[in-house]
């Protein structure tokens, strides 16, 4: 109902009487008034006058009612420990494919390889619960899918040259703007769920000392509309889910890659690989050519661009 009221007020751009809202939405005027009051509690400014209601301003919060059609699937938190933990609980409890947990800030945001992910207000932090009918060998391709979806959104909405660093960072001018964390629950031959966590430095402050990180705000010199960005990434993810086992996804990743053809150092548990990144295979693993011409494959790890 809140979403429908917002739509009606935005479409009009002017005063809309309680009576016409209640007729259009098939509910009582008291119920309209209650929902408007809830919108105000969420941070919307709605003027109420004898002429009716008029929407004066909307907060840039990722509230479910801003995403028509997805309201029932989005769980929104002003603050949370980590959306990954909430997603795991919900997934274990059986929530449906496509459930989204989004937070305005996280107190214990998690990154890959047990690193911390700073999550102040202004960023975009969410986890999508996916239940793909794929073999676990395709699971690393989730990272490719998510990074391609984010980079494509950044390019399309802002014209910035977003590129991909293997396995799953999104960079702008060589600095990280988005990180992706995938956690899987599976048997050897069947995936139960994969939780895909995405953190984007949108309008969040990134310390100038942090030379390896950047934000969309820093790159553009202005704040971005987080709602528009979130909506777009969800759409791009949706479109690519069918490609999960197809070669097109790998080709798309390659076309956006900042890692291929560079000298890299891969640090993985118990091993280090140095050489030129020459390709990724169909499972998303990086193929590295050593000085002696030998080829080695990295399935996971930290990737450092040396050139
Ligand atoms: C990385 O680059 O190390 C991955 C960072 C992933 C951060 C996101 S933010 C939303 C979700 N919740 C978390 O605690 N982590 C992921």
């Amino acid at each position: 109902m809140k979403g429908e009221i917002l739509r009606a007020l935005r479409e009009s751009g002017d005063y809309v009487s309680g009576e016409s809202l209640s007729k259009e939405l098939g509910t009582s005027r008291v119920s309209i008034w209650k929902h408007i009051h809830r919108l105000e509690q969420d941070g919307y400014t709605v003027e109420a006058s004898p002429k009716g209601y008029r929407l004066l301003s909307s907060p840039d919060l990722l509230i479910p009612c801003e995403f028509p059609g997805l309201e029932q699937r989005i769980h929104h938190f002003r603050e949370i420990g980590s959306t990954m933990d909430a997603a795991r609980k919900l997934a274990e409890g059986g929530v449906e494919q496509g459930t989204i947990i989004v937070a305005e800030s996280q107190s214990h945001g998690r990154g890959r390889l047990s690193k911390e992910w700073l999550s102040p207000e202004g960023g975009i932090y969410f986890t999508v619960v996916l239940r793909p009918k794929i073999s676990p060998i395709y699971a690393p391709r989730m990272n490719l899918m998510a990074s391609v979806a984010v980079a494509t959104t950044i390019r399309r909405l802002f014209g910035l040259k977003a590129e991909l660093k293997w396995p799953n960072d999104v960079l702008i001018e060589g600095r990280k703007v988005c990180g992706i964390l995938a956690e899987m629950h599976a048997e050897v031959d069947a995936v139960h769920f994969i939780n895909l966590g995405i953190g984007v430095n949108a309008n969040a402050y990134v310390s100038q000392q942090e030379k390896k990180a950047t934000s969309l705000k820093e790159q553009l010199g202005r704040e971005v509309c987080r709602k528009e960005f979130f909506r777009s990434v969800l759409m791009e993810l949706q479109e690519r889910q069918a490609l999960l086992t197809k070669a097109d996804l790998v080709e798309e990743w390659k076309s956006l890659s900042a890692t291929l053809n560079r000298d890299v150092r891969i640090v993985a548990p118990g091993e280090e690989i140095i050489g030129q990144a020459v390709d990724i295979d169909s499972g998303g693993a990086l193929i590295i050519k050593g000085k002696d011409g030998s080829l080695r494959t990295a399935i996971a790890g930290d990737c450092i661009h040396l050139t």
Side-chain angles (χ1 to χ4, degrees):
M1 182 58 69
K2 284 197 293 185
E4 289 179 58
I5 293 175
L6 276 180
R7 182 194 45 76
L9 293 177
R10 282 183 180 143
E11 267 173 24
S12 148
D14 201 351
Y15 294 98
V16 186
S17 71
E19 191 179 344
S20 70
L21 279 173
S22 79
K23 267 196 195 135
E24 187 184 335
L25 306 179
T27 186
S28 69
R29 285 172 65 174
V30 174
S31 157
I32 296 288
W33 176 83
K34 279 188 185 155
H35 283 100
I36 295 223
H37 186 58
R38 281 188 203 135
L39 284 169
E40 286 176 329
Q41 286 175 333
D42 285 339
Y44 295 82
T45 318
V46 183
E47 184 192 342
S49 85
K51 289 187 262 178
Y53 298 108
R54 189 162 67 117
L55 181 65
L56 296 181
S57 73
S58 308
D60 190 18
L61 297 177
L62 306 173
I63 303 177
C65 64
E66 288 285 358
F67 306 97
L70 296 175
E71 291 107 312
Q72 305 305 322
R73 277 169 40 191
I74 297 181
H75 300 243
H76 174 259
F77 297 85
R78 288 288 174 119
E79 208 210 19
I80 199 169
S82 161
T83 57
M84 299 307 285
D85 298 338
R88 171 172 283 267
K89 277 198 196 116
L90 286 169
E92 284 171 352
V95 288
E96 63 172 332
Q97 139 87 18
T99 298
I100 299 155
I101 298 87
V102 61
E104 302 296 331
S105 67
Q106 302 183 113
S107 55
H108 293 86
R110 294 198 267 116
R112 289 175 61 240
L113 309 169
S114 309
K115 290 181 198 157
E116 180 189 15
W117 182 263
L118 290 176
S119 314
E121 275 181 23
I124 300 174
Y125 315 106
F126 65 104
T127 301
V128 187
V129 178
L130 298 170
R131 299 186 184 278
K133 292 187 176 43
I134 56 169
S135 153
I137 57 162
Y138 285 115
R141 293 176 64 145
M142 283 288 172
N143 292 326
L144 305 188
M145 178 180 83
S147 54
V148 166
V150 172
T152 306
T153 295
I154 294 175
R155 286 178 176 229
R156 196 168 49 75
L157 291 184
F158 311 120
L160 294 169
K161 192 174 172 228
E163 294 181 304
L164 305 178
K165 179 161 88 86
W166 184 88
N168 53 6
D169 290 348
V170 182
L171 312 179
I172 302 176
E173 293 185 346
R175 290 154 71 199
K176 181 161 166 173
V177 70
C178 164
I180 291 154
L181 178 66
E183 291 180 348
M184 175 166 72
H185 188 256
E187 288 169 40
V188 172
D189 51 4
V191 170
H192 295 307
F193 60 81
I194 296 179
N195 288 344
L196 197 54
I198 300 182
V200 184
N201 301 332
N203 299 328
Y205 172 75
V206 175
S207 155
Q208 292 302 311
Q209 270 100 53
E210 188 54 88
K211 293 209 168 51
K212 288 183 186 162
T214 188
S215 66
L216 294 172
K217 180 179 173 182
E218 183 188 23
Q219 291 291 323
L220 291 164
R222 64 169 170 90
E223 298 216 328
V224 298
C225 174
R226 293 157 65 251
K227 286 183 276 200
E228 184 187 22
F229 188 88
F230 183 54
R231 201 176 288 123
S232 172
V233 173
L234 293 179
M235 208 182 68
E236 297 283 348
L237 278 175
Q238 175 72 33
E239 279 173 14
R240 281 175 183 78
Q241 277 178 58
L243 292 181
L244 214 50
T245 56
K246 308 267 182 329
D248 307 25
L249 182 62
V250 175
E251 291 311 314
E252 227 185 341
W253 190 92
K254 285 186 194 177
S255 73
L256 295 166
S257 169
T259 298
L260 294 183
N261 304 319
R262 284 184 113 116
D263 289 342
V264 295
R265 184 165 82 233
I266 308 296
V267 184
E271 69 169 349
E272 184 181 77
I273 307 175
I274 295 180
Q276 192 191 24
V278 288
D279 206 356
I280 57 164
D281 70 15
S282 61
L286 189 67
I287 301 170
I288 301 126
K289 190 176 185 176
K291 273 218 172 88
D292 59 359
S294 64
L295 294 180
R296 290 179 70 187
T297 302
I299 297 166
D302 239 354
C303 170
I304 297 128
H305 288 167
L306 299 174
T307 51

